[in-house]
Amino acid sequence: MELMRFKRNLSGANEVFLPDNSPRQIYKPIIAEMQRVGAVGWRERREKAHRLLLDEQHRFGIKEGDKTHPTDWFPRIIPAAEWDRLERGLTQRLVAINEFLRSLEAGTEEVVPRSVVESSILYNVDDPNRFGAVPVRQIAFDVVAVESDKSGQTGGWEYLVLEENAKMPVGLAAMTRRRKMMSEVFLPESHRELPVRSLDGWLARLGDSLRAASPKGPDATLAVVSSGPGDQFYLDHNIYAEEMNAILAETKDISVNSDGFLVFEPTGTVIDVVYERVDEDVLYAEVPGLLESHAAGKVHVLFAPNSEIIDDKGVYAFIPEMVRHYLGEEPLIENARTWSLAVKRDYDYVMENFAGLVVKSRGGYGGKEVMIGPEESRENIERFRKIVEADPVEYIAQPMVDFSTHLVTETEGEEFVLKDSFADYRMLALCPKPDDPAYVELVPGSLTRVAAPGKHIVNISSGGKMKDTWVLEE
């Protein structure tokens, strides 16, 4: 490949390049267009894209800082057949999750041990459970691909769900902006040549799904509640509000009136649905009466109190059994192997093999409170071990998974340097029908995240980058 060099440093199978470092067929149009653009032209397009994203940020009145998110501009591709497998497996998973939450609200839940539920930092036994007819209307699945012996257009992959994110899932606004830059600035020819499924209209579709939580349906007043300009995702909050025709509010802008309804104070508008992009503890502390208003059905808080228990990694371990119990089916997509330190046998195994495992806090998020044993110093391993020993019920462990790698794109002079980097998929599922938790739509794309070189943690807060994902029609 002229003026393009691939550097393979990791053990995971690469999705773009075969073992002999030749490109997989499906990526050849992208590589050909990049070579026509050249490294110098690529840098110019990168600067143009960043300028356009900053212009949008400034249009929303966000003058301070850069809220545009670190991005790698080499797209990821999912063939139609692979997408079909993912869509069916994640739809099945969300239907089972909603049945679990409905049973939890009804007091009939039998799959997850009560001790696991009540020990969760994401569950408060004193809070009322009012999840609504469809408990989870938006969820993000963090998925990785692992090499298998099954053939496929981009290699033989199997998929594992690493975790769910039902609490403030990030992704759709960033996905649409990366797609716009890819199709208009970086690789317009490849985007036209390949039958890429569109993301147009999906932010409005998200708004429809959220309003479906209210009896008013399409006429419901939706508010995106943000912590304000200091939030790294504040640009996304503005995008959500604009494209979903919603109110953008901070907690200081809303209050519960004497009749128990939530009101947007600058206009006096009654809010029917809250799409919170602020930490739950802050939300309820700064808006007195909101919890009671939600419990009374006078407002619907999308990520209802206790519904985020599904994000608890201790509960995650039981989701395959939820599929079997509630749906009478075998899971189409499995979990990674997981040990719960609340179980004596699992605890003993984990402590004996601590340095070789990935150990996670049950309630941690954003790559926080995670120890990846093989990548840590002995000092950090022993420090984390002491933390776990002090409160083992709050932790789970998994083996190191050599999941697939994608690319981080760099330029050196007139040459592209492509480096392999561990990558996951963040896939978003919606439940847009008012009373039907079994009806699921998967947004036809993904916010792919690639890790910093040599690392497994892909979160943006841990040095990862975002990447556009092209789902093909055929």
Side-chain angles (χ1 to χ4, degrees):
M1 293 178 294
E2 186 180 358
L3 299 180
M4 186 172 283
R5 177 161 46 99
F6 173 53
K7 296 178 68 173
R8 186 190 299 271
N9 297 308
L10 301 172
S11 54
N14 190 261
E15 295 183 19
V16 182
F17 291 97
L18 293 162
D20 65 1
N21 285 1
S22 63
R24 299 181 190 270
Q25 184 67 33
I26 201 167
Y27 281 99
K28 287 184 177 179
I30 290 169
I31 289 172
E33 185 173 1
M34 289 177 68
Q35 289 176 315
R36 289 194 296 272
V37 171
V40 174
W42 191 259
R43 286 194 291 270
E44 292 172 353
R45 293 183 180 196
R46 189 170 59 204
E47 291 168 4
K48 179 181 179 181
H50 187 233
R51 187 169 63 251
L52 290 170
L53 291 169
L54 276 177
D55 286 346
E56 180 176 48
Q57 174 185 318
H58 296 156
R59 178 174 67 82
F60 284 118
I62 310 169
K63 305 297 185 182
E64 299 296 324
D66 185 340
K67 307 288 187 183
T68 62
H69 310 312
T71 304
D72 184 86
W73 295 104
F74 191 115
R76 192 182 202 178
I77 297 177
I78 307 179
E82 297 295 300
W83 181 254
D84 180 65
R85 291 171 59 201
L86 286 161
E87 189 169 41
R88 287 186 292 110
L90 297 179
T91 293
Q92 178 195 57
R93 198 170 175 100
L94 179 51
V95 172
I97 285 168
N98 270 327
E99 289 305 313
F100 159 72
L101 289 171
R102 284 153 60 92
S103 295
L104 187 63
E105 180 175 355
T108 59
E109 211 295 301
E110 298 176 341
V111 175
V112 181
R114 194 68 193 177
S115 60
V116 173
V117 172
E118 294 185 356
S119 65
S120 174
I121 64 171
L122 299 177
Y123 190 87
N124 186 340
V125 294
D126 295 325
D127 285 345
N129 290 336
R130 194 189 78 81
F131 302 144
V134 183
V136 174
R137 292 196 175 271
Q138 178 197 15
I139 194 169
F141 295 101
D142 292 346
V143 179
V144 295
V146 295
E147 203 170 16
S148 78
D149 57 4
K150 295 181 180 180
S151 62
Q153 212 171 347
T154 61
W157 310 116
E158 291 298 317
Y159 299 99
L160 298 175
V161 177
L162 293 188
E163 62 185 57
E164 277 75 24
N165 190 334
K167 182 178 182 179
M168 296 195 299
V170 172
L172 188 51
M175 286 164 62
T176 62
R177 270 42 191 181
R178 264 113 218 102
R179 175 62 54 81
K180 182 177 176 64
M181 294 300 104
M182 290 302 307
S183 62
E184 297 180 4
V185 177
F186 279 95
L187 296 169
E189 295 175 24
S190 300
H191 188 266
R192 285 194 299 270
E193 179 180 343
L194 293 168
V196 182
R197 292 184 61 176
S198 175
L199 294 178
D200 293 349
W202 276 95
L203 278 165
R205 188 60 173 155
L206 171 62
D208 294 341
S209 299
L210 305 185
R211 287 185 172 88
S214 168
K216 296 181 182 179
D219 297 325
T221 299
L222 174 66
V224 178
V225 179
S226 169
S227 59
D231 193 299
Q232 67 171 323
F233 292 106
Y234 189 58
L235 172 59
D236 299 50
H237 302 167
N238 280 268
I239 293 169
Y240 284 125
E242 180 176 78
E243 299 215 15
M244 297 191 306
N245 192 27
I247 294 168
L248 179 63
E250 296 178 43
T251 53
K252 62 182 176 58
D253 301 323
I254 57 178
S255 65
V256 176
N257 67 16
S258 58
D259 294 322
F261 293 96
L262 187 66
V263 174
F264 181 58
E265 291 185 347
T267 62
T269 304
V270 172
I271 296 169
D272 300 304
V273 180
V274 173
Y275 186 50
E276 63 263 45
R277 315 304 297 178
V278 61
D279 185 82
E280 182 186 68
D281 292 339
V282 173
L283 179 67
Y284 293 114
E286 296 186 357
V287 187
L290 177 58
L291 180 61
E292 292 77 11
S293 181
H294 169 83
K298 295 182 177 180
V299 67
H300 189 87
V301 181
L302 254 301
F303 310 120
N306 290 340
S307 66
E308 65 267 28
I309 192 174
I310 204 62
D311 291 7
D312 188 314
K313 297 171 183 64
V315 172
Y316 151 94
F318 294 91
I319 292 179
E321 188 56 34
M322 292 179 196
V323 172
R324 297 183 185 97
H325 182 81
Y326 292 113
L327 308 185
E329 301 169 358
E330 283 300 308
L332 299 174
I333 296 183
E334 287 286 357
N335 288 1
R337 173 72 171 91
T338 304
W339 293 275
S340 169
L341 274 71
V343 177
K344 177 65 165 60
R345 181 178 58 187
D346 287 4
Y347 173 84
D348 291 342
Y349 176 84
V350 170
M351 301 317 288
E352 289 174 9
N353 298 276
F354 201 77
L357 298 173
V358 179
V359 184
K360 304 177 181 181
S361 165
R362 286 172 53 187
Y365 62 94
K368 300 174 183 177
E369 298 183 78
V370 175
M371 184 209 73
I372 299 181
E375 295 180 359
E376 298 287 349
S377 67
R378 176 180 287 184
E379 180 183 4
N380 283 343
I381 289 171
E382 290 308 310
R383 180 188 60 81
F384 207 85
R385 179 192 290 271
K386 289 183 172 60
I387 294 172
V388 172
E389 287 175 337
D391 193 12
V393 73
E394 289 302 328
Y395 291 87
I396 59 101
Q398 296 171 331
M400 282 284 287
V401 177
D402 270 337
F403 50 94
S404 66
T405 66
H406 207 267
L407 297 178
V408 170
T409 312
E410 298 177 0
T411 59
E412 295 178 2
E414 296 186 354
E415 183 181 45
F416 286 102
V417 180
L418 307 177
K419 298 180 179 179
D420 56 353
S421 174
F422 286 109
D424 79 348
Y425 297 97
R426 169 154 285 191
M427 298 181 174
L428 296 170
L430 309 178
C431 289
K433 291 197 173 180
D435 300 308
D436 187 357
Y439 184 84
V440 175
E441 294 179 350
L442 208 64
V443 177
S446 166
L447 185 67
T448 285
R449 301 175 299 175
V450 288
K455 299 294 185 182
H456 276 75
I457 297 178
V458 299
N459 301 82
I460 306 306
S461 57
S462 299
K465 291 184 176 182
M466 298 178 176
K467 185 184 284 284
D468 189 20
T469 308
W470 295 2
V471 175
L472 302 188
E473 292 276 9
E474 55 186 31

